[in-house]
Amino acid sequence: MCRRFGPGSEMAMEKEEVLLKKRVQDLARTAYQRDYVTFTDFLDLNEQNIVHSIKPEELGVSVRFFGGYEGAERQIAAFLPDALSYEEDLSYPIECLRIEPLSKKFSEQLSHRDYLGALVHLGIERSMLGDILVRGQDAWVFCHSRMRAFLEEHITRIRHTGVAARKITSPEELPKPQFQEVRGTVASIRLDSIIALAFSSSRSSMLGLIEGGKVFVNGRMTVSNGHPLKDGDVVSVRGYGKFRFEKALGTTRKGRCSVLLDRYV
C-alpha cells in the first residue's frame, strides 16, 4: 500500500521546520552573545540540512557536527563563537551504552527496529537518541548525556530477551565502522553516476532520489544530479544507505573514470 501524506501532514512538517529554524537561530545567537558553546539535540539528515540552510556563520558563529563516532548519521550540532578557540576534543553531550543479552545462548535475533521500539516505548523522545548500531547479539546506543542514567536503569528487556546496559567508558570499546569496498568505472565523477555505482543501480533510477531531496552530501541536501564529488565526501541516500567517496583511481582507455568507494555496512 502506498503511503500518502495529506495537506495536514505537510502543514505539520512545515511547522516543525519553522520551529527548528527558530530554535537553531536562538542557540546561535546565545553562543555569539554569551561567548559559550551551545548544542542542539540529535538531528536527522533533514534537520542537519536545515541547520546548514540558516548559515550560522552569518550569525557570528561556526557550526560543527558530531554523533559520537566516525560516520554517525544522527548528529548534534555545536555552535561555536568565532571569538573563542576550541580544540578537537570539544565535549559534546553524548554518551554511549552497550546493551548485551543476559544469556547469549537464549537471546533472540534482535534488529535495529527492536531496539528503537523498546527505547521509544520507555517514553524517550527520538531527539534524545543518536544512532543505534547492532553488531551480532549486542547493540550500541548513542544518547544525550542527561538520558544515560535513566536508560541504564530501565533498559532491561528487548522483546522477550533480558538485557543489561552499561556505559562505554573508553573509545576502544566503541564499534568500528564497517565498510564494503566498491570499485568501478563511471562516465564522470558526478553524483548520479557515483550513486548508481555504489548501489548497483542505473543512473536514471537515481535521478528521482536526488531531485526528491533524498540525497545528502556531508549532511547537506544536494538536488543537483551533476554535483561533483571530492575525496572523502560522505553520501547518504534515504532508503539505500551511505558511502564514502575515497578517490578517483585514473582514466581507462575508453576515457571512463575508475573510482574507489567505501560503502557502510
Side-chain angles (χ1 to χ4, degrees):
M1 179 181 293
C2 295
R3 187 179 181 186
R4 298 182 181 273
F5 294 94
S9 298
E10 293 178 358
M11 289 178 62
M13 291 171 66
E14 290 176 1
K15 182 177 179 180
E16 288 178 4
E17 182 173 330
V18 169
L19 290 174
L20 176 59
K21 285 183 176 179
K22 183 177 185 304
R23 173 63 175 157
V24 167
Q25 290 168 338
D26 288 344
L27 288 170
R29 291 193 185 99
T30 298
Y32 174 73
Q33 294 169 359
R34 300 188 183 180
D35 280 348
Y36 63 73
V37 182
T38 58
F39 298 94
T40 64
D41 294 333
F42 281 100
L43 305 172
D44 63 23
L45 288 170
N46 279 320
E47 292 165 335
Q48 291 170 44
N49 184 66
I50 290 171
V51 173
H52 286 299
S53 73
I54 70 163
K55 299 180 179 179
E57 62 277 3
E58 295 183 0
L59 299 174
V61 300
S62 56
V63 61
R64 294 186 195 172
F65 292 86
F66 186 56
Y69 71 103
E70 177 192 351
E73 182 160 308
R74 295 180 60 81
Q75 301 191 34
I76 283 178
F79 300 100
L80 288 65
D82 284 348
L84 300 181
S85 175
Y86 292 89
E87 301 299 328
E88 290 301 316
D89 61 350
L90 176 65
S91 180
Y92 286 76
I94 299 174
E95 297 199 41
C96 180
L97 294 175
R98 181 171 181 170
I99 303 177
E100 303 172 89
L102 297 177
S103 172
K104 291 187 181 292
K105 181 178 179 181
F106 298 105
S107 170
E108 301 166 88
Q109 189 65 41
L110 300 173
S111 66
H112 179 280
R113 178 175 292 185
D114 295 325
Y115 285 100
L116 179 58
L119 294 167
V120 172
H121 185 70
L122 292 174
I124 300 169
E125 294 183 5
R126 189 66 178 99
S127 62
M128 291 289 101
L129 299 171
D131 286 0
I132 301 172
L133 304 178
V134 180
R135 299 282 190 270
Q137 293 177 293
D138 299 349
W140 285 257
V141 175
F142 293 85
C143 65
H144 196 287
S145 299
R146 64 174 177 265
M147 298 303 303
R148 192 265 305 167
F150 175 84
L151 291 174
E152 246 181 333
E153 179 181 353
H154 290 86
I155 298 176
T156 58
R157 184 170 296 276
I158 308 294
R159 287 181 59 186
H160 304 293
T161 299
V163 299
R166 64 177 178 85
K167 176 184 174 180
I168 294 297
T169 58
S170 170
E172 286 69 33
E173 295 183 81
L174 294 175
K176 300 295 187 291
Q178 297 180 342
F179 300 101
Q180 175 186 355
E181 187 178 278
V182 178
R183 293 172 180 260
T185 63
V186 291
S188 63
I189 305 175
R190 46 184 282 160
L191 188 59
D192 52 3
S193 295
I194 300 295
I195 290 177
L197 173 65
F199 301 110
S200 302
S201 301
S202 66
R203 190 172 67 86
S204 60
S205 68
M206 297 290 104
L207 299 182
L209 296 173
I210 299 171
E211 295 169 353
K214 296 183 183 298
V215 178
F216 300 80
V217 179
N218 300 325
R220 295 175 185 259
M221 184 185 297
T222 304
V223 294
S224 170
N225 300 325
H227 177 83
L229 294 179
K230 304 184 299 295
D231 294 0
D233 279 351
V234 175
V235 181
S236 300
V237 182
R238 283 288 177 86
Y240 283 79
K242 63 182 177 179
F243 64 90
R244 185 169 63 205
F245 178 75
E246 293 296 341
K247 59 183 177 180
L249 300 174
T251 305
T252 68
R253 292 180 179 178
K254 295 184 178 181
R256 292 175 62 83
C257 299
S258 178
V259 298
L260 171 64
L261 318 175
D262 276 334
R263 182 173 173 180
Y264 289 80
V265 295

